[in-house]
């Protein structure tokens, strides 16, 4: 039997010896060579190579990317912008919903340490709402006041497309915010907590000029978050870029038109003595105008004049 097994093994090796032969002049690449040739190039942010993709773009490149993003947004159809606007309104509504649920339910902390309560109110809610919006490509009016304006000022898109984008995204944001406010009201998760009513009442009791200035300051920070996030390659980078400015504007008590589209109607549904006229004329109008100034001028006006062609003559 041993002799038979030896004979069979010798035949097997002889019949398949070509599979193990070493052929230096073979035209077929080795497995390792094929794997290396088929492998997609990998860019490492710290490699220093020419093809490396940095985690954070250089400031001029961030501006160029913002202009390109604005042009792309402006070129979309009314229908697409409106639908993505609804999504963004829901996202910001969810963020406001969480902020009211967590930060608005800390009366003891607010009484003992008002600053800490404001930090809690800002840290939990709106940042995750904007992250959902940016990552999924939804259309947020307040961010578009910066991005699409930059595309127009650089001659990348016509003014009529700016109007289309602003109107469609604003309308979509309003629909999405109202829809989520209704669902939050019907969910019963807020219980008898008075935060939503108190916040809505306070927002609609501001003088026009105060609401306008708060709108400027708010969207200055919101658009800085959008602008910085656009320069980050990683999700972690985008989250950090968003978290600090957004939590700051909420903690500072500033006013965001799309967030207010959720907060004030929710307060009205829960019993706040606010009329539709109060909401639209005393809060939403001045805050929206302030948001436009904050995004278009305070953010993009500065970077556009530094890295772009804003306010420059053709000779320059």
């Amino acid at each position: 039997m041993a002799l038979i097994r030896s004979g069979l093994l010798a035949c097997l090796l002889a019949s398949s010896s070509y599979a193990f032969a070493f052929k230096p002049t073979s035209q077929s690449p080795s497995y390792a060579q094929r794997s290396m040739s088929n492998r997609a190039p990998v860019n490492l942010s710290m490699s220093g190579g020419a093809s490396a993709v940095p985690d954070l773009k250089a400031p001029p490149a961030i501006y160029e990317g913002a202009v390109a993003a604005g042009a792309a947004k402006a070129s979309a159809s009314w229908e697409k912008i409106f639908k993505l606007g609804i999504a963004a309104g829901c996202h910001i509504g969810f963020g406001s919903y969480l902020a009211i649920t967590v930060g608005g339910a800390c009366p003891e902390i607010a009484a003992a340490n008002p600053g800490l309560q404001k930090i809690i109110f800002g840290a939990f809610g709106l940042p995750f709402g904007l992250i959902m919006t940016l990552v999924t490509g939804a259309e947020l009016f307040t961010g578009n006041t910066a991005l699409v304006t930059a595309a127009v000022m650089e001659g990348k898109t016509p003014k009529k497309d700016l109007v289309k984008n602003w109107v469609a995204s604003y309308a979509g944001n309003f629909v999405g915010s109202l829809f989520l406010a209704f669902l939050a009201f019907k969910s019963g998760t807020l219980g008898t907590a008075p935060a939503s009513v108190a916040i809505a009442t306070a927002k609609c009791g501001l003088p026009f000029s105060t609401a306008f200035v708060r709108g400027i300051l708010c969207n200055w920070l919101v658009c800085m978050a959008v602008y910085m996030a656009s320069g980050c390659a990683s999700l972690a980078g985008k989250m950090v870029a968003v978290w600090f400015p957004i939590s700051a504007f909420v903690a500072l008590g500033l006013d965001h038109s799309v967030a207010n589209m959720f907060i004030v109607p929710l307060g009205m549904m829960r019993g706040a003595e606010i009329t539709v006229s109060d909401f639209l004329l005393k809060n939403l109008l001045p805050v929206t105008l302030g948001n436009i100034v904050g995004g278009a001028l305070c953010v993009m006006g500065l970077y556009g004049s530094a890295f772009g062609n804003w306010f420059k003559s053709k000779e320059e």
Side-chain angles (χ1 to χ4, degrees):
M1 291 297 293
L3 181 60
I4 294 173
R5 285 198 297 269
S6 299
L8 290 174
L9 179 59
C11 292
L12 178 61
L13 291 173
S15 64
S16 59
S17 60
Y18 71 89
F20 300 93
F22 176 70
K23 299 179 180 181
T25 60
S26 173
Q27 295 180 353
S28 301
S30 68
Y31 174 78
Q33 290 172 327
R34 292 197 303 272
S35 298
M36 290 301 292
S37 63
N38 293 332
R39 185 177 299 169
V42 178
N43 291 320
L44 301 177
S45 60
M46 298 300 292
S47 67
S51 62
V53 177
D55 286 336
L56 180 64
K57 297 177 184 177
I62 295 178
Y63 178 73
E64 292 173 4
V67 172
K73 286 175 173 292
S75 66
S77 66
W78 280 87
E79 182 182 11
K80 181 178 181 179
I81 297 171
F82 178 73
K83 289 178 179 178
L84 293 175
I86 293 176
C90 291
H91 296 161
I92 300 304
F94 269 118
S96 302
Y97 189 11
L98 180 60
I100 292 172
T101 302
V102 178
C106 307
E108 293 83 5
I109 297 178
N113 192 337
L116 177 59
Q117 188 272 335
K118 290 178 180 179
I119 289 295
I120 296 172
F121 192 77
F124 294 96
L126 265 299
F128 105 86
L130 185 57
I131 282 291
M132 289 195 294
T133 297
L134 296 181
V135 171
T136 61
E139 292 284 348
L140 183 63
F141 165 77
T142 48
N144 290 348
T145 62
L147 299 179
V148 181
T149 302
V152 170
M153 294 297 289
E154 296 295 340
K156 303 298 183 181
T157 193
K159 292 180 181 179
K160 64 180 180 64
D161 281 353
L162 177 143
V163 174
K164 174 189 67 177
N165 178 271
W166 283 14
V167 172
S169 61
Y170 193 86
N173 292 167
F174 210 159
V175 171
S177 298
L178 290 175
F179 176 65
L180 200 76
F182 176 75
L183 293 180
F185 172 67
K186 287 294 186 181
S187 71
T189 57
L190 294 173
T192 58
S196 59
V197 173
I199 295 171
T201 301
K203 286 182 177 295
C204 291
L206 296 173
F208 191 100
S209 60
T210 301
F212 174 73
V213 172
R214 290 188 182 185
I216 293 175
L217 295 172
C218 170
N219 210 35
W220 193 331
L221 291 175
V222 170
C223 288
M224 281 304 303
V226 173
Y227 187 72
M228 291 190 297
S230 71
C232 299
S234 67
L235 178 58
K238 293 180 184 295
M239 292 175 69
V240 172
V242 164
W243 191 85
F244 285 99
I246 301 304
S247 60
F249 103 68
V250 179
L252 289 169
L254 306 178
D255 276 77
H256 187 264
S257 57
V258 180
N260 289 358
M261 291 174 185
F262 170 88
I263 294 171
V264 177
L266 177 62
M268 294 168 67
M269 294 176 196
R270 290 174 58 81
E273 296 183 0
I274 300 170
T275 65
V276 174
S277 176
D278 289 338
F279 169 45
L280 296 178
L281 300 180
K282 292 183 178 181
N283 179 265
L284 197 57
L285 176 60
V287 170
T288 299
L289 294 175
N291 287 169
I292 293 172
V293 173
L297 295 181
C298 296
V299 175
M300 296 313 290
L302 293 175
Y303 292 109
S305 61
F307 301 123
N309 299 306
W310 290 45
F311 316 121
K312 295 179 181 178
S313 63
K314 293 183 179 180
E315 290 74 17
E316 294 182 88

